[in-house]
């Protein structure tokens, strides 16, 4: 039987759960990598994701949950309940020791992770998947067991790239032709859940899939499944997704679809230019690009299947009934670095594959990405992509599932929330006290609010939320959002997100006082959280690197 066949009895049975026992719930945070807002079926996508669709149908979809625009900042934010600059991850990964404190690497002297806090409260804590937070290992930050990718990206086919901690001798050895990272990450997640059950401890699992981040790699037969679909091209896919998003009621007040996007300044590009129309490409280009997107879809498909396999394992051990599952993506779809994607390594070099070469794409020894055109489709109907603070870059497709603890199953919640809220929520549902001190250092107060009222269809505590990465910045307060992008001279734009989620109508000229109010909020936050001017930061601390200037296309 296909593995996904377990889904429907699993979820159907969950509708008739006995009341959840008054014991600490298991908590599973599922974070995926570079997933676009509308990739999942339950968010309007054409990719087959029946497991996540089922969770959404019996849970809540968060349509306005914000991340921090890129991998490392979002992960630091999620794990600590603080903004990334507060814990030294304003830029990427480990940071640089001589940089300002908002950028000099993941700190362990002013914060506590969810795993560290829950472990103090009797939880078995484990992580399976992508870490990407520099020199500290997950087992240094509260996780008892870990398996996965310590860095940012690598082959899905090569098990030597993946690490087991703390006991490397217990690593599973897969036959060379059977290893695939998403499957292995799930194998260990199941093992860790079983370990919690044997120890009779509540489980905290951080399940951080590296899919569908590049390199795009998947079995040929799964990729073939989507090839015809994506020969339609990114313009047709965007139109079809937009219609489904609107039919599902995922946007308030029926905003228009964002126009076909742009290729921003990036590696190999010295001028902003529009993404070309699909029908302007050659047939060879279309086949190559369709194959890239088909591999990406296959990776999401496989990931969804594996989440179903993990949930089935929880059900078999009796753990599922008392498990809170929170699903999200670390940032929007990845537009790096131009419309044709890249090959061989991260950068601007690419090849248009033809003939028999197409069948080899995504297999062992290959390295591909799909480029800006498909990222634009994956973020439908929102504007821009990963790196940016516009909605396409920072909006996660969020899902919460908790059996009968979710009172209004299948609901959609439009309240703005943020990755800083995840730690607050985990501590709230587990009855865990946030420590004022940890391992001899004072801990900064959490920035987030609990999302538990959402589970009952109620309002969460309102407060502004913020983001900044590489000079792309925003503040959201109530219905209003002030946002700027680096490639557009960091000029502020003002949007009423309640009426204009796709950010098509800049109201800064009509409401200058509102813009000043939000700018003051942003400036105070930036000062408090050690946010630096991006060009000044790079030019001061990387004087031998490329010269960064405020770009403003005439």
């Amino acid at each position: 039987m296909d593995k996904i066949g377990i889904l429907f009895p699993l979820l159907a049975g969950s509708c008739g759960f006995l009341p959840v026992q008054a014991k600490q719930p298991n908590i599973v945070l599922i974070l995926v990598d570079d997933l676009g807002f509308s990739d999942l079926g339950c968010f309007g996508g054409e990719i087959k994701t029946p497991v996540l669709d089922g969770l959404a149908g019996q849970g809540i979809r968060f349509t306005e949950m914000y991340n921090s625009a890129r991998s490392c900042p979002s992960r630091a934010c999620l794990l600590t309940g603080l903004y990334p600059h507060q814990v030294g991850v304003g830029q990427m990964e480990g940071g640089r020791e001589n940089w300002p404190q908002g950028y000099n690497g993941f700190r362990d002297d002013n914060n506590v992770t969810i795993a560290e806090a829950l472990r103090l409260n009797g939880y078995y804590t484990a992580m399976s998947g992508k870490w990407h937070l520099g020199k500290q290992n997950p087992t240094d930050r509260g996780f008892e067991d870990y398996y996965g990718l310590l860095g940012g990206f690598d082959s899905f086919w090569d098990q030597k790239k993946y690490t087991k901690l703390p006991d490397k001798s217990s690593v599973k050895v897969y036959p060379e032709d059977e290893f695939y990272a998403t499957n292995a990450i799930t194998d260990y997640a199941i093992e860790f859940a079983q370990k919690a059950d044997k120890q009779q401890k509540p489980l905290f699992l951080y399940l951080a899939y590296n899919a569908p981040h590049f390199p795009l790699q998947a079995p040929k037969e799964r990729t073939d499944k989507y090839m015809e679909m994506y020969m339609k091209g990114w313009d047709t896919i965007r139109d079809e997704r937009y219609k489904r998003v609107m039919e599902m009621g995922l946007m308030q007040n029926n905003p228009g679809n964002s126009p076909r996007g742009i290729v921003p300044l990036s590696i190999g590009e010295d001028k902003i230019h529009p993404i070309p129309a699909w029908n302007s490409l050659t047939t060879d280009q279309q086949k190559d690009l369709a194959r890239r997107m088909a591999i990406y879809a296959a990776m999401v498909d496989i990931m969804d299947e594996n989440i179903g396999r993990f949930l089935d394992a929880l059900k078999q051990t009796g753990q599922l009934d008392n498990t809170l599952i929170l699903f999200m993506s670390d940032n929007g779809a990845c537009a790096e670095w131009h419309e044709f994607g890249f090959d061989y390594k991260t950068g601007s070099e690419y090849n248009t594959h033809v003939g028999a070469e197409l069948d080899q794409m995504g297999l062992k020894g290959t390295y591909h990405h799909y480029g800006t055109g498909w990222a634009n489709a994956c973020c439908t109907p929102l504007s821009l992509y990963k790196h940016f603070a516009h909605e396409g870059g920072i909006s996660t497709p969020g899902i919460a599932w908790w059996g009968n603890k979710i009172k209004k199953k299948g609901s959609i919640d439009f309240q703005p929330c943020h990755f800083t809220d995840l730690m607050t929520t985990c501590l709230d549902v587990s009855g865990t006290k946030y420590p004022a001190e940890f391992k001899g250092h004072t801990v900064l107060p959490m920035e987030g609010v609990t999302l538990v009222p959402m589970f009952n269809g109620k309002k969460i505590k309102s407060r502004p939320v913020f983001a900044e990465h590489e000079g792309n910045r925003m503040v959201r307060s109530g219905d209003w959002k002030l946002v700027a992008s680096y490639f557009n001279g960091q000029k502020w734009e003002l949007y009423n997100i309640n009426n204009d989620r796709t950010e098509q109508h800049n109201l800064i000229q009509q409401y200058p006082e509102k813009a000043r109010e939000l700018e003051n909020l942003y400036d105070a936050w930036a000062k408090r959280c050690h946010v630096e001017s991006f060009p000044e930061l790079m030019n001061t601390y990387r004087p031998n690197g490329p010269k960064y200037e405020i770009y403003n296309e005439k």
Side-chain angles (χ1 to χ4, degrees):
M1 183 178 74
D2 189 85
K3 293 178 182 176
I4 211 65
I6 61 176
L7 167 71
F8 297 103
L10 182 158
L11 291 178
S14 68
C15 292
F17 283 158
L18 295 173
V20 174
Q21 297 177 3
K23 64 180 182 179
Q24 292 165 299
N26 303 309
I27 301 171
V28 178
L29 295 185
I30 304 176
L31 183 70
V32 298
D33 203 345
D34 287 3
L35 188 77
F37 179 79
S38 59
D39 281 330
L40 304 179
C42 54
F43 277 82
E46 66 290 328
I47 302 173
K48 302 302 181 185
T49 55
V51 175
L52 289 167
D53 297 350
L55 292 177
Q58 295 181 17
I60 301 171
R61 278 170 285 181
F62 302 121
T63 65
E64 298 185 23
M65 174 181 276
Y66 291 123
N67 50 51
S68 293
R70 206 167 177 197
S71 175
C72 305
S74 289
R75 291 161 203 275
C77 183
L78 177 153
L79 283 173
T80 65
L82 299 170
Y83 283 104
H85 304 76
Q86 292 176 287
V87 295
V89 193
Q91 188 57 12
M92 285 292 285
E93 200 158 339
R96 297 169 185 258
E97 292 181 0
N98 65 329
W99 284 29
Q101 69 179 78
Y103 304 82
N104 60 9
F106 189 33
R107 300 177 61 169
D108 61 2
D109 62 348
N110 69 351
N111 67 85
V112 60
T113 69
I114 302 175
E116 287 168 333
L118 294 186
R119 192 171 177 179
L120 291 174
N121 197 23
Y123 273 74
Y124 167 71
T125 59
M127 177 182 176
S128 189
K130 172 176 166 177
W131 176 241
H132 207 197
L133 281 172
K135 296 178 181 178
Q136 297 176 48
N137 287 332
T139 50
D140 299 326
R141 297 309 313 267
F143 292 100
E144 297 176 53
D145 284 295
Y146 170 78
Y147 175 81
L149 186 67
L150 289 171
F153 53 92
D154 218 313
S155 172
F156 283 75
W157 298 114
D158 187 354
Q159 60 187 304
K160 295 189 295 295
K161 305 296 186 181
Y162 296 79
T163 300
K164 173 72 170 63
L165 297 171
D167 184 5
K168 295 182 180 180
S169 65
S170 64
V171 68
K172 303 178 193 294
V173 178
Y174 294 83
E176 186 175 345
D177 60 347
E178 292 183 12
F179 180 85
Y180 185 72
T182 304
N183 298 334
I185 287 168
T186 306
D187 289 343
Y188 279 95
I190 291 170
E191 177 183 301
F192 296 154
Q194 292 170 341
K195 187 172 180 179
D197 183 55
K198 289 177 182 177
Q199 294 181 5
Q200 296 185 315
K201 288 184 175 183
L203 168 70
F204 172 66
L205 177 70
Y206 177 31
L207 179 51
Y209 289 107
N210 50 334
H213 194 289
F214 63 81
L216 301 183
Q217 296 175 331
K220 179 182 180 299
E221 62 275 13
R222 197 71 67 106
T223 299
D224 288 343
K225 171 180 170 181
Y226 289 98
M227 189 63 183
E228 182 179 356
M229 172 80 71
Y230 292 115
M231 281 301 295
K232 294 179 180 180
W234 49 56
D235 292 323
T236 297
I237 292 295
R238 288 188 78 242
D239 289 344
E240 292 177 350
R241 286 194 183 196
Y242 174 72
K243 291 175 184 176
R244 287 192 294 267
V245 166
M246 303 310 292
E247 289 169 357
M248 289 179 175
L250 294 169
M251 299 279 134
Q252 299 183 87
N253 297 315
N254 300 317
N257 195 4
S258 61
R260 188 191 309 120
I262 58 166
V263 179
L265 291 172
S266 57
I267 293 176
E269 301 293 329
D270 58 6
K271 187 175 178 62
I272 297 168
H273 63 271
I275 296 168
W278 183 261
N279 63 13
S280 73
L281 305 176
T282 68
T283 300
D284 285 345
Q285 288 174 324
Q286 290 177 348
K287 288 180 179 179
D288 171 83
L289 287 163
R291 193 71 183 175
R292 294 170 190 267
M293 184 60 192
I295 302 167
Y296 174 92
M299 296 169 75
V300 176
D301 185 314
I302 294 167
M303 176 196 72
D304 182 81
E305 177 180 276
N306 272 274
I307 293 172
R309 188 161 64 91
F310 172 73
L311 296 179
D312 188 56
L314 286 184
K315 188 183 181 194
Q316 289 175 5
T317 56
Q319 293 169 285
L320 182 63
D321 293 15
N322 193 34
T323 298
L324 168 63
I325 297 167
L326 295 167
F327 173 93
M328 65 224 74
S329 177
D330 63 345
N331 44 245
C334 178
E336 300 165 4
W337 291 107
H338 53 69
E339 61 265 40
F340 299 111
F342 52 78
D343 297 298
Y344 316 117
K345 62 181 180 179
T346 305
S348 58
E349 186 178 5
Y350 76 96
N351 177 52
T352 299
H353 299 77
V354 296
E357 292 178 337
L358 293 169
D359 286 341
Q360 298 304 308
M361 294 178 73
L363 303 185
K364 293 179 183 179
T366 65
Y367 195 104
H368 310 290
H369 192 44
Y370 64 13
T372 315
W374 283 122
N376 186 217
C378 291
C379 291
T380 303
L382 307 177
S383 294
L384 291 177
Y385 342 95
K386 174 182 175 179
H387 292 258
F388 298 101
H390 283 71
E391 293 292 285
I394 59 172
S395 298
T396 188
I399 300 171
W401 182 93
W402 196 7
N404 282 340
K405 287 286 188 177
I406 303 295
K407 299 304 181 185
K408 192 175 180 182
K409 298 183 186 301
S411 60
I412 297 170
D413 199 300
F414 299 106
Q415 296 180 79
C417 49
H418 192 267
F419 268 28
T420 52
D421 300 335
L422 297 170
M423 181 168 197
T424 315
T425 303
C426 290
L427 300 192
D428 187 5
V429 301
S430 64
T432 301
K433 184 178 179 181
Y434 184 72
E437 293 185 356
F438 185 73
K439 292 185 176 179
H441 61 258
T442 301
V443 174
L444 292 174
M446 288 185 293
E447 296 281 343
V449 303
T450 180
L451 302 179
V452 170
M454 283 184 169
F455 303 162
N456 298 313
K458 298 179 180 178
K459 297 292 184 183
I460 61 172
K461 184 178 179 182
S462 177
R463 82 292 186 213
V465 294
F466 306 88
E468 190 281 336
H469 183 66
E470 296 181 336
N472 305 299
R473 50 192 177 146
M474 78 94 186
V475 51
R476 169 84 188 266
S477 180
D479 292 339
W480 291 95
K481 178 183 176 184
L482 193 69
V483 61
S485 58
Y486 174 67
F487 72 84
N488 194 31
Q490 293 187 312
K491 294 183 296 185
W492 286 119
E493 303 165 11
L494 180 69
Y495 299 101
N496 185 304
I497 297 299
N498 182 60
N499 297 327
D500 182 24
R501 181 75 193 283
T502 58
E503 297 169 306
Q504 300 306 299
H505 306 287
N506 182 3
L507 301 176
I508 199 161
Q509 297 299 325
Q510 292 95 314
Y511 298 98
E513 292 184 3
K514 174 58 70 173
R516 282 193 293 272
E517 174 191 330
L518 294 179
E519 185 175 16
N520 288 337
L521 286 175
Y522 178 87
D523 289 344
W525 169 80
K527 182 177 180 180
R528 177 172 65 84
C529 293
H530 315 292
V531 179
E532 306 282 340
S533 162
F534 179 67
E536 292 178 12
L537 173 77
M538 301 303 284
N539 293 333
T540 301
Y541 292 94
R542 283 180 51 181
N544 298 323
K547 183 70 174 175
Y548 283 82
E549 298 177 355
I550 294 291
Y551 181 85
N552 190 5
E553 188 173 38
K554 302 300 183 184

